[in-house]
Amino acid sequence: MTEARESAGPNAQRAPGEPCWVSLMVHELAATEEFYAELFGWEFRPGPQQLGPYVRALLDGREVAGMGQLPPDPRLPIAWTPYLATNDVDRTADAVRLSGGTVAVGPIDAAEAGRLAIASDPSGAVFGIWQGTAHLGTTITGVPGTPVWNELLTYETESVAKFYATVFGYEREPVVAAGLDYVTLHLGGRPVAGLHGVGHALPPDRGSHWQTYFEVTDADATLRQVVDLGGRVLRPAHDSPHGRVARVADPEGAEFSVVQDPS
């Protein structure tokens, strides 16, 4: 994860089903920009405004994520949402409905950037669908401040894995370990996302939800910075086979994980 990688060339289309973007909708957009600018070194520029005020986050001039302003309804969830690529968002939205999911927004055009829909799987987890034209998604990975993994936390994986495989054509690879319900989703033999069944450990106030992992240089130092900036530590840093990992929340409550590359 330590070597910067261009995740797509200027004219490269994403493979259908590939996570290509992450986006956060919040109530206080300016304050949220300040938090992530300090935490990850992001800068911001305006993006499409079809769903209200929206900015794209940049790292060293390259796009890594998006943020938008929610309407003033305090009940709307504040969460990082992954977008999955498609060549035809309307056809994918139909497949979501036919497979037991729900399409909540769209499909709609996002100016000249592309076309999108926001959907939920049968367990209620929200995700986006993105058909890029001018904007193809995150353009850099493998350096601190970039998204490196998306993982669905759900009650059990069997039924929801079938949904994602049907809609996006993923190959499914269960992780064989005692007491672990985990499925890795692959495209062309490459892992692109994970499904983690946690049973009754699933937060009752959130239900099934996707979680984004961002790479950091030092997980423990990042946790101290999160707290100093008004966020919270939800799970302290701990070592894993993939690096040192922790889960946090920003000042508005949006949860995300940070991972320090073991190399």
Side-chain angles (χ1 to χ4, degrees), residues 14-20 83-87 167-170 185 187 192-193:
R14 300 301 188 99
E18 182 179 355
C20 60
Y83 278 70
L84 308 176
T86 180
N87 293 331
V167 174
F168 293 103
Y170 297 121
L185 301 178
L187 286 174
V192 295

Side-chain angles (χ1 to χ4, degrees), residues 5 9 19 28 43 52 57 98 106 115 129 151 200 208 233 246 256:
R5 297 183 299 276
E28 301 292 338
E43 298 176 322
L98 291 172
R115 189 163 168 80
I129 309 167
E151 184 175 276
H200 293 293
S208 297
V233 175
F256 59 97

